Amino acid sequence: TTVTLTEWCLDMTEDPYDWSKRKIEFLVDPINPIKDDKMKTSPGQIWSIKKLLVLDYCIQGFVVIFRKYFEKWVYVDTHCGTGLIGFEEEDLRDERFPGSPLIATFNSNDHQFTDYYFCDEDFESISALNTRLDTLKPILGSKNFNVIQRDFSATVLNLESRSHHNEGYFVFIDPQGFSEIKWNLMERLLKIRTADIFLTFMTPFIAMNRTNAESNESHAQTMTEFYGDNEWSQCNGTDELLEAYIKKIKKYVTVYLFEVPKPSDLLFLT
């Protein structure tokens, strides 16, 4: 199912521009205490803001539904980064925007999770996020934050081992690359029936890797591990590569494709 950003993320009684401006102001205002802290930031582009606005909206819908059925509703960020985004664009070099961990925590009390798991394999990113959460404690209040240095594989295995009867999970997967998002791990996540997944499908990088795989065995192996088979080799262009991946996911869950400006595609799996 393909849905537009307007259909999913905007109050249709409000002008899209006004909605976006109001939401951005709401998310940016709380980061003033950390905006110029000189610590590491996560890489971003103007497109990142659109992605994080979609994340914010999906979180609100998730919490409202899952708190009706579970004792705990848990946010899991598999590649949480530093909590603060810097921009590549020259005219935005001095600007900052909250990363996904802060997007998940800035929501009103009606849309809070019972537990938060912020995971990343990079120590410097985890350290920066820990410091920023501590700095923002007067704003964030007392929340059950778990900031953990570990890779995607370890996060998946941990989720598998938890009780799925009383817990609902919102899993946000937004990697810098796609090589560690192997299909055997994604398949294990998809089999967790109490988990909804928000996935950034890194369309341009996957397409570039597809081209390189024609003459490079290492790139071909990465593609096979990502798709779980060699079906990628029959695909030409970004649309076919995306469709092949969605086809595999649909064996387990319903897929919503957000129609937002490229570069990457956003998939909500429920």
Side-chain angles (χ1 to χ4, degrees), residues 7 23 27 57 86 90 96 102 110 135 143 151 162 182 247:
E7 289 171 332
K23 178 58 70 171
L27 294 170
Y57 185 83
E90 188 65 36
R96 297 291 182 265
L102 297 186
D110 290 338
T135 301
K143 294 183 174 66
D151 62 14
R162 296 172 65 95
K182 296 176 172 58
K247 181 181 177 182

Side-chain angles (χ1 to χ4, degrees), residues 39 81-82 122-133 147:
M39 289 188 293
T82 65
D122 180 63
F123 173 78
E124 188 178 0
S125 294
I126 287 294
S127 178
L129 176 58
N130 252 324
T131 301
R132 286 168 175 150
L133 289 173
V147 186

Side-chain angles (χ1 to χ4, degrees), residues 92-137:
L92 295 174
R93 285 290 170 84
D94 295 328
E95 299 297 328
R96 297 291 182 265
F97 197 79
S100 52
L102 297 186
I103 296 294
T105 60
F106 282 168
N107 279 294
S108 67
N109 290 334
D110 290 338
H111 300 107
Q112 292 293 333
F113 291 88
T114 57
D115 301 87
Y116 298 81
Y117 286 85
F118 303 134
C119 310
D120 202 293
E121 64 180 344
D122 180 63
F123 173 78
E124 188 178 0
S125 294
I126 287 294
S127 178
L129 176 58
N130 252 324
T131 301
R132 286 168 175 150
L133 289 173
D134 187 60
T135 301
L136 293 175
K137 191 171 183 178

Side-chain angles (χ1 to χ4, degrees), residues 9 19 26 71 102 126 156 159 179 225 248 253:
C9 299
W19 182 91
F26 170 80
E71 294 179 6
L102 297 186
I126 287 294
V156 172
L159 274 177
S179 60
E225 290 177 347
K248 296 177 69 67
V253 295

Side-chain angles (χ1 to χ4, degrees), residues 37-166:
D37 62 14
K38 308 303 181 184
M39 289 188 293
K40 179 180 180 178
T41 58
S42 300
Q45 301 172 329
I46 191 66
W47 180 85
S48 305
I49 295 178
K50 299 174 183 178
K51 171 179 61 182
L52 292 167
L53 289 177
V54 177
L55 171 65
D56 176 79
Y57 185 83
C58 288
I59 284 174
Q60 294 182 49
F62 173 94
V63 171
V64 169
I65 294 172
F66 271 60
R67 67 184 178 189
K68 295 179 180 178
Y69 303 103
F70 298 98
E71 294 179 6
K72 292 186 176 182
W73 41 101
V74 182
Y75 177 81
V76 181
D77 200 323
T78 64
H79 300 77
C80 65
T82 65
L84 197 64
I85 289 178
F87 294 96
E88 297 177 3
E89 291 87 349
E90 188 65 36
D91 57 341
L92 295 174
R93 285 290 170 84
D94 295 328
E95 299 297 328
R96 297 291 182 265
F97 197 79
S100 52
L102 297 186
I103 296 294
T105 60
F106 282 168
N107 279 294
S108 67
N109 290 334
D110 290 338
H111 300 107
Q112 292 293 333
F113 291 88
T114 57
D115 301 87
Y116 298 81
Y117 286 85
F118 303 134
C119 310
D120 202 293
E121 64 180 344
D122 180 63
F123 173 78
E124 188 178 0
S125 294
I126 287 294
S127 178
L129 176 58
N130 252 324
T131 301
R132 286 168 175 150
L133 289 173
D134 187 60
T135 301
L136 293 175
K137 191 171 183 178
I139 297 172
L140 299 175
S142 179
K143 294 183 174 66
N144 189 16
F145 294 141
N146 301 272
V147 186
I148 306 168
Q149 183 187 5
R150 66 183 177 200
D151 62 14
F152 181 68
S153 174
T155 299
V156 172
L157 295 178
N158 175 266
L159 274 177
E160 256 191 335
S161 68
R162 296 172 65 95
S163 169
H164 304 149
H165 299 292
N166 301 317

Side-chain angles (χ1 to χ4, degrees), residues 167-204:
E167 296 184 347
Y169 307 100
F170 185 102
V171 184
F172 182 55
I173 306 173
D174 184 35
Q176 292 299 313
F178 70 96
S179 60
E180 67 171 321
I181 315 300
K182 296 176 172 58
W183 177 252
N184 67 321
L185 296 173
M186 275 300 298
E187 192 173 37
R188 293 167 86 155
L189 269 183
L190 292 167
K191 288 180 178 179
I192 301 176
R193 305 307 299 173
T194 61
D196 283 356
I197 302 169
F198 188 115
L199 170 67
T200 301
F201 186 86
M202 308 188 72
T203 316

